[in-house]
Amino acid sequence: MRPLGKTRRRTGTVRTAPARRAGRTAAAGAVCAAALAVLTAVPAQAHQAGPGGHAPAWALKDTGTPAVRFRGLAAVDRDTAWVAGTQGTVLRTTDGGASWRNVSPPGAADLQFRDVEAFDARHAVVLAIGEGEASRVYRTDDGGATWTESFRNTDARAFYDCLTFFDRRHGLAMSDPVDGRFRILSTSDGGRSWTVLPDAGMPSALPGEAGFAASGQCLVSAGSRDVWLATGGAARARVLHSADRGLTWTVTDAPIPAGDPARGVFALAFRDRGHGLAVGGDHRADRPSPSAAATTGDAGRTWRPAGTPPPAYRSGVAWLPHSRTAALAVGPTGTDLTTDAGRTWRTLDTGSYDTVDCTPDRGCWAAGEQGRVARLER
């Protein structure tokens, strides 16, 4: 992966026409409001939507770290979340974001943490990205009071981008291609040790193809064995799928902008092994990102472009809990909601976020630049 903003070594009855439009707009608004009302059913701080009403919205939580960009996010529940970012920073909250504890691994100030996977308030694994020894994995079993470095990349050709876990023991990490194939790292003890998997079952990479360490969502899993890998930077954006925890893979083109090192699929989310969402585009602020979202209903064998995609590049995506049709996508220019499983998207907020994560107890968190972390509240 090329770090965003840098170049690697190679580097979302009869009516008149106006009345029909107004009716459709009101109906769409009602559907969006209903989806968010379900999400925020747990009582939370209210935010004024306008005279006489309230609406769900991102509520910023002061992390006290304005110089840090958080691209790694692991939401455990509405109270507990972990974020990981630049300057080797890892924070944890257990009170819904009212306070944050700096639990950064010692001696990591020069590292960029781009992914964090948390099992609960005490157990978590974080990934630092970069070429060679900059790619590292750390694990904590005591809420970040102490950390153990469980992996350090010694291959100068490798560059690790993302982590995912199937359960508390089994997980994978992915690197950009080495010798023409994406490299997969595997753990079966919760991230305490790692092994490079054989690449015989991995399709060949395209020239310039890589992953984007933009949100910790370029490698995602669903269930006990299925995992998907998102790519960009090549002539075509692609999604790879494995049904055996990374031993063998199939690959499919995704209808998301490609053909440039800054374009491709940046994030994936699957609500089960069949139904998934992909978002991305061109991460450069001055470039448009048409068709920056796609959907699959067959485990990624085929992808369809969104009929009404987000209006700009999106780097993170998450299904809303207990919903088969609603999801959020985030990026530097805003947050979008779909209530039809990714076919159409509507902008809800224009704040900058890089990643988003939702929890079974109806909590949703987002994180991004300038130390921004927020929870969806009403």
Side-chain angles (χ1 to χ4, degrees), residues 294-343:
T295 68
T296 182
D298 56 12
R301 287 189 292 274
T302 60
W303 291 87
R304 295 182 178 180
T308 304
Y313 154 74
R314 294 293 181 253
S315 55
V317 62
W319 290 92
L320 299 192
H322 313 296
S323 174
R324 298 176 60 84
T325 58
L328 295 170
V330 300
T333 62
T335 298
D336 307 292
L337 171 72
T338 179
T339 56
D340 55 13
R343 290 187 290 274

Side-chain angles (χ1 to χ4, degrees), residues 94-120:
T94 57
D95 57 11
S99 64
W100 294 85
R101 180 182 176 191
N102 188 327
V103 295
S104 305
D110 293 333
L111 300 180
Q112 290 197 51
F113 290 122
R114 294 292 183 93
D115 200 354
V116 56
E117 301 291 329
F119 308 114
D120 51 41

Side-chain angles (χ1 to χ4, degrees), residues 62 93 97 143 145 147 155 158 162 175 230 281 292 309 312 314 332 362 376:
D62 184 9
T93 182
W147 294 87
D155 190 334
C162 289
S175 163
R314 294 293 181 253
R362 305 184 191 278
L376 201 64

Side-chain angles (χ1 to χ4, degrees), residues 28 68 100-101 123 132 145 148 162 177 183 187 255 257 259-260 317 338 353 360:
V68 177
W100 294 85
R101 180 182 176 191
H123 301 84
T148 300
C162 289
R183 176 169 287 182
T187 181
D260 185 278
V317 62
T338 179
Y353 298 102

Side-chain angles (χ1 to χ4, degrees), residues 46-374:
H47 288 264
Q48 189 69 27
H54 298 277
W58 289 122
L60 283 169
K61 308 296 182 179
D62 184 9
T63 64
T65 56
V68 177
R69 187 163 197 165
F70 292 115
R71 293 187 183 274
L73 167 65
V76 176
D77 52 40
R78 285 184 57 81
D79 293 323
T80 303
W82 300 67
V83 290
T86 54
Q87 302 177 26
T89 305
V90 180
L91 305 183
R92 185 194 64 158
T93 182
T94 57
D95 57 11
S99 64
W100 294 85
R101 180 182 176 191
N102 188 327
V103 295
S104 305
D110 293 333
L111 300 180
Q112 290 197 51
F113 290 122
R114 294 292 183 93
D115 200 354
V116 56
E117 301 291 329
F119 308 114
D120 51 41
R122 295 183 60 80
H123 301 84
V125 178
V126 295
L127 171 72
I129 61 106
E131 292 177 341
E133 293 193 3
S135 285
R136 306 179 193 180
V137 178
Y138 295 81
R139 178 185 166 98
T140 182
D141 294 315
D142 54 15
T146 61
W147 294 87
T148 300
E149 181 184 307
S150 60
F151 173 77
R152 182 179 298 203
N153 173 46
T154 58
D155 190 334
R157 301 168 299 170
F159 186 116
Y160 286 84
D161 299 305
C162 289
L163 285 170
T164 191
F165 275 82
F166 303 96
D167 51 44
R168 295 179 71 98
R169 295 184 59 82
H170 300 91
L172 302 176
M174 58 80 68
S175 163
D176 288 347
V178 176
D179 293 331
R181 289 185 172 92
F182 285 94
R183 176 169 287 182
I184 302 298
L185 202 62
S186 175
T187 181
S188 59
D189 56 12
R192 295 177 178 86
S193 63
W194 297 84
T195 304
V196 175
L197 293 182
D199 65 2
M202 175 66 71
S204 297
L206 301 175
E209 191 172 26
F212 290 107
S215 60
Q217 296 177 327
C218 60
L219 185 72
V220 301
S221 56
S224 63
R225 304 189 67 82
D226 287 273
V227 59
W228 294 263
L229 189 161
T231 83
R236 305 188 306 276
R238 305 198 297 175
V239 176
L240 287 72
H241 172 231
S242 171
D244 55 12
R245 292 184 180 167
L247 292 176
T248 60
W249 298 78
T250 56
V251 62
T252 304
D253 290 353
I256 283 180
D260 185 278
R263 299 176 187 161
V265 180
F266 280 71
L268 299 168
F270 278 77
R271 64 172 171 82
D272 53 42
R273 71 177 310 272
H275 298 85
L277 303 169
V279 299
D282 191 321
H283 74 74
R284 293 169 293 193
D286 61 339
R287 304 296 177 91
S289 290
S291 302
T295 68
T296 182
D298 56 12
R301 287 189 292 274
T302 60
W303 291 87
R304 295 182 178 180
T308 304
Y313 154 74
R314 294 293 181 253
S315 55
V317 62
W319 290 92
L320 299 192
H322 313 296
S323 174
R324 298 176 60 84
T325 58
L328 295 170
V330 300
T333 62
T335 298
D336 307 292
L337 171 72
T338 179
T339 56
D340 55 13
R343 290 187 290 274
T344 62
W345 295 84
R346 176 183 177 184
T347 299
L348 298 177
D349 181 271
T350 57
S352 176
Y353 298 102
D354 293 312
T355 187
V356 60
D357 195 16
C358 295
T359 61
D361 66 343
R362 305 184 191 278
C364 272
W365 295 79
E369 63 183 336
Q370 298 178 351
R372 288 168 59 91
V373 179

